[in-house]
Amino acid sequence: MISMIGLVGGLILLVILTMRGMNLFISAPLCALFVALTNGMTLLTGDVHFVSTYMSGFTSFIAAWFFMFLLGSLFGKFMEDTGAADSVARYIVDKLGMKKAVFAVVAACAILTYGGVNLFVVAFSVYPMALSLFKDANLPRRFIPATLAFGSVTFTMTSAGSPEIQNWIPIKYLGTTPYAGWEVSLVVALFMALFGYWWLNRLIGKAVANGEVFEHREDDPEIPERDYPHPITGVIPLLVVLGLSFTLHHDFGHNALIIALAGGVISILLINNKYFHHLSSAVTEGTNGALIAIGNTAAVVGFGAVAKSTDGFQLAVEIMTQVPGNELIGAAVAVTVIAGLTGSASGGQAIALPLLAPHYLDQGVNPEELHRVVAISSGALDTLPHNGYVVTTIRAICKETHASAYWSMFAMTGIVPLIGLILAISLFILF
């Protein structure tokens, strides 16, 4: 009981401190320490102790994702400094009108995500264009994180055919394909896209009606009007990233993103070299931004590593995987809660599926239905405030605070997928 209280208490404390804007390099280790102490974990001695467990999670994330964060940050900063992002944004506004600014950002994120580009990289890549679009349309910038996330982690990330890892992990345990349950997945994806887009526009419209406008900041890029490159020079680098990622994903896995992003950075340097205003500053700011982004995310991953090693977490997993009632509902509850505890959709699946898959398959549950329910449910409560993608997108990329940007983001990435999950289970049960 003390172990479970410590686990839940540590998670709640981390959420509260994150929402209040406390530095994650301080709050995440402190909350992890609280979890460790209440679970009887030693600090420095023994086979499994707090420091080694926390740092193994911290360093393993950096080792796996450093180059993607670095190149993704440089890519975004180069798009800003050359004015390529502004050029694309103004072209879209001129052709589609300011009311389509949100649609353009959502569409760009959806295309890249379904093309196989990692979610973090999508945020880095599309943010410069999103900032320019919101500026030209005079929309409150605190909704940019929600717009980026909606296009990336709702109707695309967990849908049938998606190349994102959240759609591929179940294949190993269920013997299915990426297109498992595609009929229901298509209905759910369309619902989430239409309902989420309507709700997002309603939230932004309400803020505008209350007098909110785009707020300029001192560190926003200022590119003179006469220096704008042709809009196509901002599209080509994005196509390079998408094309290389899609082509090389099968052979290199997520490491294909290193090549794809490097190709995108090089293409900007070649195409828009004469439009750089402060190349050295862009490199410095991009590098620093990458370090902050990956550091913040790794700090939270370290907390998750400590949480997963406790008796309380193992008990929570056992309880969640034995939820009575309809098997699909039980699987959905288990994956949703575990993903929320770990702050990771893929982490929630990786922990739950080894236990869920044989249990439910032995009971005769359709593996394709189970695949789709597990995928969709992993993408709901995973986006609590301590989630790595949430922290990186809100703080490191968009430079917002959780207090101002999180609730609209949670509406898009938490509530919309939960409704989609209910719809998916209902359709599977009825038909």
Side-chain angles (χ1 to χ4, degrees):
M1 181 60 69
I2 295 177
S3 176
M4 181 65 73
I5 293 174
L7 176 64
V8 176
L11 177 61
I12 293 174
L13 181 61
L14 179 60
V15 168
I16 292 174
L17 295 178
T18 301
M19 291 299 296
R20 292 188 175 183
M22 186 174 182
N23 190 303
L24 282 166
F25 288 105
I26 303 299
S27 61
L30 281 177
C31 293
L33 179 60
F34 175 80
V35 172
L37 293 175
T38 53
N39 278 269
M41 184 183 294
T42 59
L43 297 182
L44 296 169
T45 59
D47 294 334
V48 179
H49 58 81
F50 167 71
V51 173
S52 65
T53 304
Y54 182 88
M55 290 309 300
S56 66
F58 187 97
T59 56
S60 63
F61 183 84
I62 292 179
W65 296 102
F66 173 74
F67 285 111
M68 274 72 88
F69 271 72
L70 175 62
L71 292 169
S73 184
L74 289 174
F75 182 86
K77 188 56 64 175
F78 285 2
M79 288 282 284
E80 282 184 2
D81 195 69
T82 59
D86 269 334
S87 182
V88 173
R90 295 194 173 208
Y91 179 82
I92 292 173
V93 170
D94 288 342
K95 296 298 181 181
L96 301 180
M98 290 185 179
K99 293 184 178 180
K100 298 299 182 181
V102 174
F103 173 80
V105 176
V106 171
C109 290
I111 292 171
L112 289 172
T113 302
Y114 214 81
V117 180
N118 177 264
L119 303 173
F120 287 99
V121 176
V122 172
F124 276 116
S125 302
V126 180
Y127 171 69
M129 185 183 78
L131 182 67
S132 297
L133 282 168
F134 272 61
K135 178 177 64 177
D136 290 343
N138 200 27
L139 300 177
R141 64 192 298 161
R142 67 184 180 91
F143 289 99
I144 294 179
T147 307
L148 294 173
F150 173 61
S152 302
V153 302
T154 52
F155 60 93
T156 51
M157 182 181 79
T158 60
S159 296
S162 172
E164 298 297 332
I165 190 173
Q166 291 80 4
N167 184 47
W168 283 69
I169 291 177
I171 297 174
K172 174 182 176 181
Y173 301 96
L174 301 174
T176 50
T177 73
Y179 302 96
W182 69 268
E183 300 92 340
V184 167
S185 178
L186 179 61
V187 174
V188 173
L190 286 173
F191 165 78
M192 288 196 290
L194 295 174
F195 174 69
Y197 183 68
W198 169 82
W199 194 8
L200 178 60
N201 276 287
R202 184 176 177 84
L203 291 173
I204 297 175
K206 184 176 180 180
V208 171
N210 290 334
E212 290 191 48
V213 296
F214 183 88
E215 296 180 359
H216 293 269
R217 296 175 182 166
E218 292 182 0
D219 58 349
D220 285 343
E222 292 293 340
I223 310 298
E225 189 76 31
R226 59 184 176 83
D227 286 338
Y228 280 104
H230 193 279
I232 195 65
T233 65
V235 175
I236 291 176
L238 288 171
L239 293 177
V240 169
V241 173
L242 179 61
L244 289 175
S245 176
F246 183 80
T247 304
L248 302 175
H249 179 77
H250 179 74
D251 294 325
F252 297 98
H254 81 272
N255 286 326
L257 293 172
I258 297 176
I259 303 173
L261 284 169
V265 170
I266 292 172
S267 66
I268 297 175
L269 288 169
L270 293 176
I271 297 172
N272 283 328
N273 185 60
K274 66 179 181 179
Y275 290 101
F276 275 101
H277 278 240
H278 303 286
L279 177 57
S280 60
S281 297
V283 171
T284 299
E285 292 174 13
T287 303
N288 291 338
L291 292 175
I292 294 173
I294 198 169
N296 281 331
T297 308
V300 177
V301 173
F303 170 87
V306 173
K308 285 188 289 185
S309 65
T310 63
D311 293 335
F313 186 83
Q314 300 307 317
L315 177 60
V317 171
E318 184 177 345
I319 293 173
M320 288 300 104
T321 52
Q322 295 178 1
V323 175
N326 183 277
E327 292 84 357
L328 292 179
I329 296 176
V333 172
V335 174
T336 300
V337 173
I338 295 171
L341 288 173
T342 59
S344 169
S346 57
Q349 287 191 29
I351 293 169
L353 276 171
L355 301 171
L356 291 176
H359 175 70
Y360 287 132
L361 291 179
D362 289 344
Q363 295 184 28
V365 177
N366 186 308
E368 293 206 353
E369 294 180 0
L370 185 59
H371 176 135
R372 192 52 48 207
V373 167
V374 166
I376 297 174
S377 60
S378 72
L381 291 186
D382 67 310
T383 50
L384 291 177
H386 64 293
N387 171 269
Y389 172 82
V390 171
V391 171
T392 298
T393 302
I394 290 179
R395 292 195 180 186
I397 298 177
C398 300
K399 297 179 178 61
E400 298 292 336
T401 64
H402 272 66
S404 65
Y406 177 71
W407 294 114
S408 58
M409 192 178 195
F410 181 71
M412 296 298 104
T413 63
I415 298 177
V416 171
L418 280 175
I419 299 175
L421 175 62
I422 294 172
L423 175 62
I425 295 174
S426 300
L427 291 173
F428 281 130
I429 292 176
L430 292 174
F431 301 102

